[in-house]
Amino acid sequence: MANFNTISSAGSTICAITADYRLICWGANDMGQLGQGNTNLISNMVNITLTSTYSPVDVAVGKYHTCVVTSDGEIECWGQNDFGQLGRDFTCAYGSYQNGCNGNFAVTSPGKVVYNGEFGFKEVSVGDFHTCGLLENGAAMCWGSNSDGQLGDGTELDSSTPVLVSTNESIYFRQIDSGKAHSCATNDSGEIFCWGRNSFGQLGDGTIQNSPNPVKVNLPIGYYAVSVTTGGEHSCAILNGSQPACWGRNSQGQLGDGTLLGKLE
């Protein structure tokens, strides 16, 4: 058994970066999430061959697609691509075999996200049908489905290449995570900003209104965020003093507060 540095899972797919910087995956492969060039049922761990010769440093697994950051600041993605969530400047319609599509919405082999900016990526996060990445300069970019504003660019237009998450002020994001159709990120001041779907209050701003722009989470007075993570329709953070805080949907007790009542903040 290999020693792991990083691991990520969603749905029934798991991927990990080993201590010797190999990328291995296992589990569901119905949309080519295992990056083997097929959708075959595979019961063992498999090595992923990237197009890049650089080492993988961060990996994120979504419901039907997978992305990895390499040490040169690029991102490679594979799997379902009907909304451009692979960031490769094309989408895969049903029945299409163009650009490596497999006729069933997916690209089953790794390929690079189309991005030529000055700063490289250092982190990637994957939602159901969208993807977000964090740049070395603290800016965030997202791509894929934008039906609920989950790309954070102020629109509801899908994009098959990265678009900049728009903010009204200069914000240096420190960490980012993506849920089903929303994303959240922390900044250097310990604030949390979220954008996208908000039907259960998962953006934490006290409303249930979707937002195509980042909105600030209403944290308890005297607390700041150390990290944030997003679930399907809820979000959680670790605050100073190692205190947990969660908000959003709570139908299965996912907020951990002893109730089944949702919270808007």
Side-chain angles (χ1 to χ4, degrees):
M1 179 68 70
N3 294 319
F4 296 161
N5 282 343
T6 304
I7 193 166
S8 177
S9 67
S12 299
T13 305
I14 307 95
C15 291
I17 299 172
T18 65
D20 57 351
Y21 295 101
R22 290 180 295 115
L23 180 65
I24 60 175
C25 297
W26 62 97
N29 192 39
D30 50 321
M31 283 289 172
Q33 303 98 302
L34 301 187
Q36 300 300 295
N38 58 56
T39 56
N40 298 342
L41 178 63
I42 301 173
S43 60
N44 55 293
M45 295 181 178
V46 292
N47 287 293
I48 311 301
T49 302
L50 301 175
T51 65
S52 173
T53 59
Y54 289 88
S55 300
V57 294
D58 187 45
V59 63
V61 176
K63 191 174 182 179
Y64 295 116
H65 73 291
T66 305
C67 294
V68 61
V69 181
T70 52
S71 58
D72 61 340
E74 294 191 309
I75 293 178
E76 296 200 22
C77 297
W78 56 94
Q80 188 170 348
N81 193 42
D82 46 345
F83 293 100
Q85 56 263 51
L86 302 188
R88 293 164 61 171
D89 202 16
F90 62 87
T91 60
C92 291
Y94 184 78
S96 173
Y97 293 89
Q98 294 182 338
N99 299 307
C101 298
N102 72 344
N104 190 33
F105 305 115
V107 181
T108 58
S109 295
K112 293 181 181 180
V113 169
V114 177
Y115 169 73
N116 296 307
E118 178 183 359
F119 297 96
F121 288 98
K122 63 178 182 179
E123 186 178 335
V124 66
S125 181
V126 173
D128 275 12
F129 304 108
H130 77 291
T131 308
C132 291
L134 193 60
L135 294 170
E136 293 286 354
N137 69 340
M141 302 191 81
C142 299
W143 54 95
S145 174
N146 200 24
S147 57
D148 296 291
Q150 58 263 53
L151 301 191
D153 66 341
T155 78
E156 293 184 353
L157 302 175
D158 298 345
S159 179
S160 60
T161 57
V163 294
L164 192 65
V165 173
S166 63
T167 58
N168 294 326
E169 52 187 297
S170 179
I171 298 175
Y172 184 95
F173 289 121
R174 184 175 56 194
Q175 180 242 332
I176 194 168
D177 199 38
S178 297
K180 185 175 183 178
H182 76 291
S183 294
C184 295
T186 61
N187 69 2
D188 269 353
S189 300
E191 298 169 317
I192 302 174
F193 292 84
C194 299
W195 56 93
R197 185 180 297 173
N198 197 30
S199 49
F200 292 94
Q202 56 263 51
L203 300 190
D205 66 341
T207 78
I208 53 171
Q209 297 177 345
N210 294 351
S211 179
N213 295 296
V215 293
K216 189 183 297 186
V217 173
N218 295 329
L219 296 177
I221 295 175
Y223 284 92
Y224 60 85
V226 176
S227 64
V228 66
T229 185
T230 53
E233 293 164 321
H234 72 287
S235 306
C236 291
I238 296 176
L239 307 179
N240 51 306
S242 301
Q243 292 296 310
C246 296
W247 56 94
R249 193 172 190 178
N250 199 26
S251 58
Q252 305 297 318
Q254 53 265 58
L255 302 190
D257 62 353
T259 77
L260 297 177
L261 301 174
K263 294 170 63 178
L264 304 184
E265 54 188 18

